[in-house]
Amino acid sequence: MGMIETQKKIRRLLDDKNAILLAHYYQRDEIQDIADILGDSLALSIEAAETTADVIVFAGVRFMAESAAILSPDKTVLLPRLDVGCPLADKITVEELQQAKAEHPGTKVVTYVNSTAEIKAHSDICCTSANAVRIVGSLDADTVLMVPDGNLARYTARFTEKEIIPWKGFCYVHNNLLPDEVQKVKEAHPGAPVAVHPECRPEVIEMADFVGSTGGILKFARQTEAQKVIIGTEQGIMHQLKKESPGKTFIPASDHLICLDMKRMTLDDILSSLLEMKHVIQVPEDIRVPAGLALSRMLEASR
Ligand code: 13P
Ligand code: SF4
């Protein structure tokens, strides 16, 4: 079956089953093109919590589908492939988190949504890259332990008086972007602003003109007067950047900004998922309820 035929079949099945397709900006172009909602992690979790659809098909990585299942326990959440993790989410175990909490009594735990349901369940509140500063600001605590992404924690620390204790996790895609690479691209495109994701290392953040979530980077690109922008995040975002700002040029800060897990999902996987109603993502109640509290607190604080 050709690509367009598969896309049409998916759309028909989505309608027949009162299902919606949520897709992240890092997904393959042909998946982004047929999504009901294309967004960053925050926009997708808001939609997952509010949709009236019976079925949510998640084109993203596991933690995203898990969050949808936590927020909408009465809906069927399908993840078309099970081998799409986020390596960052596995950079902290519950035992490590318990130990860190014991070492810093009285500290609030802010957990990046790129985490397992179990870690969320042991947290005070969640955050995404779009709302981390606001979430930390909303807390009644002088010390905040931020897990699992150390770079996001260090970036957030720039905007608060609170003491931020960063966990040591990182995203291999963003952490691998090095200052020398950014410097070379800057020199090749003088005057072009640099927009990066807060999962990048501090030395790269220092070189950026804009730092934000994928949704934030898209907004910056739409609004800037610059005609050329250097992009320091996963390359999947290029598709939407070009669609939203067709007259502008977007230059990847490096050619290795590729998330293998995000790219694993194909249209055929989504088609099989809808035909066979697989793979249903469920979170056991003893984890779902406390994890849901941490996610709902985040949604409440970001309104
Ligand atoms: P956003 O929340 O900015 O969409 O980022 C998600 C992610 O996985 C970044 O690597
Ligand atoms: Fe996880 Fe990094 Fe991939 Fe985002 S880009 S899903 S943080 S591995």
Side-chain angles (χ1 to χ4, degrees):
M1 208 187 314
M3 186 181 86
I4 295 186
E5 217 178 314
T6 310
Q7 286 177 317
K8 281 191 183 152
K9 206 160 176 185
I10 291 171
R11 285 298 338 159
R12 266 199 305 273
L13 282 164
L14 287 164
D15 291 343
D16 290 351
K17 293 173 188 271
N18 190 26
I20 54 165
L21 177 62
L22 304 187
H24 189 266
Y25 295 122
Y26 296 164
Q27 289 287 294
R28 292 168 184 262
D29 299 358
E30 61 274 19
I31 294 177
Q32 295 189 31
D33 285 342
I34 55 161
D36 291 281
I37 303 287
L38 179 62
D40 65 8
S41 308
L42 181 60
L44 294 175
S45 51
I46 291 172
E47 186 60 29
E50 291 179 355
T51 182
T52 54
D54 295 320
V55 180
I56 298 171
V57 184
F58 223 114
V61 289
R62 180 185 272 270
F63 78 82
M64 297 179 174
E66 229 171 43
S67 295
I70 291 168
L71 287 165
S72 283
D74 52 333
K75 312 237 181 305
T76 303
V77 177
L78 300 179
L79 182 61
R81 291 183 73 113
L82 289 176
D83 58 352
V84 288
C86 163
L88 167 60
D90 298 321
K91 297 262 187 229
I92 186 165
T93 64
V94 171
E95 293 70 34
E96 287 172 321
L97 177 55
Q98 301 284 44
Q99 197 183 329
K101 280 204 239 184
E103 282 167 16
H104 304 281
T107 299
K108 295 268 186 202
V109 178
V110 174
T111 293
Y112 191 28
V113 288
N114 298 43
S115 54
T116 62
E118 287 92 334
I119 294 294
K120 289 183 179 78
H122 287 84
S123 313
D124 292 291
I125 191 165
C126 289
C127 76
T128 78
S129 55
N131 61 19
V133 174
R134 189 159 170 184
I135 295 298
V136 166
S138 76
L139 293 174
D140 181 17
D142 296 331
T143 334
V144 175
L145 173 63
M146 283 188 82
V147 303
D149 189 45
N151 286 336
L152 177 67
R154 282 181 284 272
Y155 175 67
T156 308
R158 296 173 184 230
F159 302 93
T160 176
E161 300 278 284
K162 299 186 201 299
E163 186 196 347
I164 304 283
I165 304 159
W167 188 249
K168 57 189 178 216
F170 58 88
C171 157
Y172 74 96
V173 180
H174 290 89
N175 199 60
N176 280 355
L177 175 62
L178 300 177
D180 285 358
E181 296 176 283
V182 180
Q183 189 54 37
K184 277 198 191 110
V185 180
K186 269 171 79 103
E187 282 164 15
H189 302 277
V194 177
V196 306
H197 198 276
E199 288 174 9
C200 291
R201 50 178 76 210
E203 310 89 278
V204 166
I205 298 242
E206 278 302 327
M207 302 170 81
D209 299 279
F210 176 81
V211 182
S213 72
T214 50
I217 292 174
L218 279 152
K219 188 171 174 198
F220 170 78
R222 284 194 304 273
Q223 293 179 344
T224 179
E225 282 173 13
Q227 293 304 301
K228 254 190 199 182
V229 185
I230 299 168
I231 302 294
T233 193
E234 213 273 349
Q235 60 158 35
I237 201 174
M238 292 295 177
H239 187 54
Q240 194 60 17
L241 280 167
K242 288 177 199 155
K243 267 185 155 177
E244 288 186 7
S245 308
K248 296 181 183 172
T249 308
F250 299 102
I251 303 131
S254 149
D255 58 10
H256 57 72
L257 283 160
I258 298 168
C259 175
L260 297 175
D261 285 270
M262 283 282 187
K263 291 296 172 295
R264 213 165 271 143
M265 183 95 63
T266 65
L267 278 180
D268 285 339
D269 293 327
I270 296 173
L271 180 58
S272 311
S273 163
L274 277 159
L275 288 170
E276 296 167 41
M277 293 303 279
K278 66 174 188 190
H279 303 274
V280 177
I281 301 298
Q282 274 170 326
V283 177
E285 278 300 283
D286 59 330
I287 295 170
R288 190 192 71 73
V289 173
L293 199 61
L295 278 168
S296 308
R297 284 189 186 131
M298 169 187 87
L299 295 181
E300 195 51 45
S302 19
R303 270 181 218 282

